[in-house]
């Protein structure tokens, strides 16, 4: 079935931070939306790359050897195995593109770790 997705409408359906929601699936990967604010945990994904696309706000992705700063319309791919920590001083809206097998916080367990992603 072919169905268009309104990112603005989907973002209006939730308010919690650091809890990505699946809005589409492409082959073995999920397209997710997330709202983030504050500091997340340092983590890495051993087997998957992770794409962050900022829809609104300013996101800093801290790396052990620097940082990447993203504004609206900008994206970065964090390669598998690279330890990173997303940080948002104010609320940021993100589109994430990740394999559907990805573990939210890699091998790190945190109270914000999502084990089953909700589809909206």
């Amino acid at each position: 079935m072919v169905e268009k997705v309104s990112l603005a409408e989907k973002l209006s359906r939730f308010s919690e931070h650091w809890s990505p929601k699946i809005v589409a699936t492409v082959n073995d990967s999920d397209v997710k939306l997330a709202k983030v604010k504050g500091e997340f945990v340092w983590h890495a994904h051993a087997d998957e790359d992770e794409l962050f696309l900022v829809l609104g706000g300013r996101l800093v992705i801290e790396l052990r050897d620097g940082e990447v700063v993203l504004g609206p319309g900008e994206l970065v791919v964090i390669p598998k195995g690279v330890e990173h920590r997303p940080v948002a001083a104010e609320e940021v809206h993100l589109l994430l593109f990740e394999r559907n097998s990805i573990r939210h916080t890699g091998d790190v367990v945190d109270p914000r770790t999502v084990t089953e992603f909700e589809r909206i």
Side-chain angles (χ1 to χ4, degrees):
M1 178 157 138
V2 176
E3 182 179 334
K4 76 175 182 177
V5 175
S6 166
L7 300 179
E9 188 275 326
K10 297 290 187 181
L11 282 164
S12 74
R13 291 188 184 191
F14 65 97
S15 59
E16 63 267 32
H17 295 131
W18 306 110
S19 184
K21 311 294 184 207
I22 299 170
V23 296
T25 299
V26 180
N27 299 316
D28 63 348
S29 296
D30 290 324
V31 178
K32 298 173 184 166
L33 293 177
K35 293 181 180 179
V36 301
K37 185 176 179 183
E39 296 178 349
F40 203 45
V41 297
W42 280 101
H43 67 286
H45 304 283
D47 300 316
E48 300 95 0
D49 298 335
E50 187 174 23
L51 181 145
F52 292 83
L53 168 63
V54 173
L55 302 173
R58 180 179 179 271
L59 181 70
V60 176
I61 299 182
E62 295 179 343
L63 306 167
R64 291 298 184 187
D65 61 354
E67 65 182 24
V68 178
V69 179
L70 301 171
E74 296 180 321
L75 68 80
V76 68
V77 174
I78 304 298
K80 63 184 172 187
V82 173
E83 195 174 19
H84 59 286
R85 178 173 74 162
V87 177
E90 301 295 328
E91 184 173 87
V92 174
H93 296 174
L94 296 174
L95 183 142
L96 306 169
F97 189 76
E98 338 176 284
R99 268 199 215 152
N100 54 26
S101 60
I102 200 165
R103 294 169 64 186
H104 187 222
T105 52
D107 289 333
V108 175
V109 177
D110 181 83
R112 295 171 290 184
T113 299
V114 176
T115 55
E116 288 189 39
F117 296 98
E118 179 183 359
R119 182 176 292 273
I120 60 171

